[in-house]
Amino acid sequence: MLIAVALTSAAMLAWPTLSAGGGARSLTTSAAVQLINREKAVVIDVCEDAEYTAGHVAGARHAPLSQLEQKLPGMVKNKATPVILVCASGARSNRAVAVATKLGYEQAHSLTGGMRAWREANLPIEKA
């Protein structure tokens, strides 16, 4: 019985890491702001056009997830530059991290909670 409890506890602790898209690197809003300020990270919004127009991270560039593979190399030429991928809730940006990593970007990160978390933290938003 104790072994079953221990295995269940271990599985529950490991679940957030495993369910994050196979090791997708996620950032909190405060960690994202630090990365932007200290390392000049580039913010890429992977939302669709209407979502991007309604509000996005100040200074973010726009590349819908469906077009990310074609647009990202032209937006961020240095693959060592930190890239923060943002969507409405964080789900699409986790998939975008996989695309960026496949393209060779060494520091691709997803914003945990997406624009919802960014707004809740009262961080700057632009509307197009």
Side-chain angles (χ1 to χ4, degrees):
M1 182 70 157
L2 290 175
I3 293 172
V5 170
L7 290 175
T8 303
S9 296
M12 291 174 71
L13 289 171
W15 180 253
T17 302
L18 297 174
S19 66
R25 292 164 282 202
S26 297
L27 295 175
T28 62
T29 54
S30 59
V33 169
Q34 287 179 356
L35 199 59
I36 293 165
N37 291 336
R38 292 182 182 166
E39 297 187 41
K40 307 296 183 216
V42 177
V43 180
I44 307 290
D45 192 306
V46 296
C47 290
E48 294 303 319
D49 294 339
E51 294 170 300
Y52 180 80
T53 303
H56 54 272
V57 173
R61 300 175 188 179
H62 183 227
L65 182 58
S66 61
Q67 301 170 18
L68 185 63
E69 199 164 346
Q70 294 80 30
K71 288 188 170 189
L72 187 58
M75 294 175 148
V76 183
K77 299 201 185 311
N78 183 352
K79 293 186 177 182
T81 301
V83 177
I84 302 171
L85 298 144
V86 181
C87 67
S89 66
R92 282 176 285 182
S93 60
N94 277 333
R95 289 187 302 220
V97 167
V99 171
T101 302
K102 183 178 97 175
L103 291 172
Y105 289 87
E106 301 165 5
Q107 295 189 60
H109 304 277
S110 170
L111 180 65
T112 303
M115 282 303 298
R116 182 184 66 238
W118 192 264
R119 283 186 177 95
E120 288 172 2
N122 291 320
L123 293 165
I125 295 172
E126 292 178 343
K127 291 185 180 186

